[in-house]
Structure formats: structure tokens, C-alpha cells
Amino acid sequence: MLRSFQDLDDAAWTKIALLHQDDAALDAGAQALIRAKNPSAYDASRVAMSKTRYENPFVVMMWNLQRSIAEDTVRNEYVLHSKIHDWFASGTAPKDLDGLNSKIYAELFLTPDTDPWLGLVPANTFTGLDNNGLVPATGAR
């Protein structure tokens, strides 16, 4: 028995996302940018017109990106968005915007503002970069 949206597996999220794929359609500007950044895929698309839907690298790339956007959108709406509503309903949401942003990034996105790598590098990892690749921000908020 499904108790919450968090219990859904990836296949279920994919099916839900398919119901919202039109919401993730890329506009002409986004498609032009992708064509400009992937000219070989776009050139291949003009050669293989009859196989466009399944073999064309450009179309496959666009389809995968739109599918990914749709999946991310439905997960955000059904899981993350509802969690924020729960915080407000239970009175655990911070009253100020900076506090709310910090809570969202730390607890939902798992990228706390106290972590300079935003969760991308485990603690105590040798990067081989000066100052671990971190550059002090100028004029930080």
C-alpha cells in the first residue's frame, strides 16, 4: 500500500512525468541553444529524417532533457512542495525568507549553505586544488 509519494519508485515517477510532458516542452530559444551547443547531433538529425523519433541524436537528446525536466517537476510538486506546506502547517517553517531558504536547501535539496561544495564533495576529500578549489565570494549576500 502506497503511504506517500516518497514511496514511489523511479518507474512510477516516469509514468507520472509522462502525464506532464507538455509542461516540460522546450521553447524555440532553448532548442536553438541546444542545437548550437551540439552541432554534430543536429547535423545528424538532418541526415536521418526517416528515423528521427528513435535514432536521431538531436531528437533523443531533446526528448531525454524534456523527460528529465518533467520528472524533476512532478517530484518537486508532489514531494518537496508538499513538505514545505507541512512546515507551514506545523509551524516549523522559519518566519524570515533567508531562514526558509536555508532550511529548504539544507533539508530538501541536501545542499546546506554551510557546505562550500553544496554536497558535491564529501568532507575530508583531497581535491588537489589550491584552497580545495574554492574562491572567496566578493560581495556575497
Side-chain angles (χ1 to χ4, degrees):
M1 175 178 186
L2 181 68
R3 290 180 284 144
S4 74
F5 286 112
Q6 293 173 341
D7 295 336
L8 294 176
D9 63 7
D10 288 342
W13 282 114
T14 299
K15 289 177 184 176
I16 294 169
L18 286 172
L19 299 173
H20 298 273
Q21 69 184 20
D22 290 344
D23 299 334
L26 298 173
D27 66 12
Q31 291 181 29
L33 176 65
I34 293 168
R35 270 194 301 278
K37 296 291 183 181
N38 298 281
S40 60
Y42 180 65
D43 290 343
S45 73
R46 294 185 301 169
V47 173
M49 292 301 247
S50 65
K51 299 177 182 180
T52 295
R53 177 79 172 130
Y54 300 102
E55 293 182 22
N56 178 310
F58 182 73
V59 171
V60 171
M61 184 185 311
M62 295 288 289
W63 168 250
N64 286 338
L65 178 58
Q66 289 179 160
R67 180 195 44 76
S68 177
I69 291 169
E71 282 186 35
D72 189 53
T73 299
V74 295
R75 285 181 192 236
N76 287 345
E77 185 60 32
Y78 294 113
V79 178
L80 303 182
H81 194 177
S82 64
K83 184 67 175 170
I84 295 169
H85 282 278
D86 289 344
W87 292 343
F88 281 106
S90 68
T92 59
K95 305 288 186 232
D96 63 299
L97 183 58
D98 285 339
L100 180 61
N101 277 335
S102 290
K103 184 175 179 76
I104 289 170
Y105 277 89
E107 296 181 29
L108 293 183
F109 300 153
L110 304 178
T111 56
D113 54 13
T114 56
D115 178 358
W117 282 97
L118 298 175
L120 297 176
V121 177
N124 303 317
T125 299
F126 176 72
T127 64
L129 302 171
D130 291 341
N131 196 33
N132 282 325
L134 301 174
V135 177
T138 56
R141 59 176 200 134

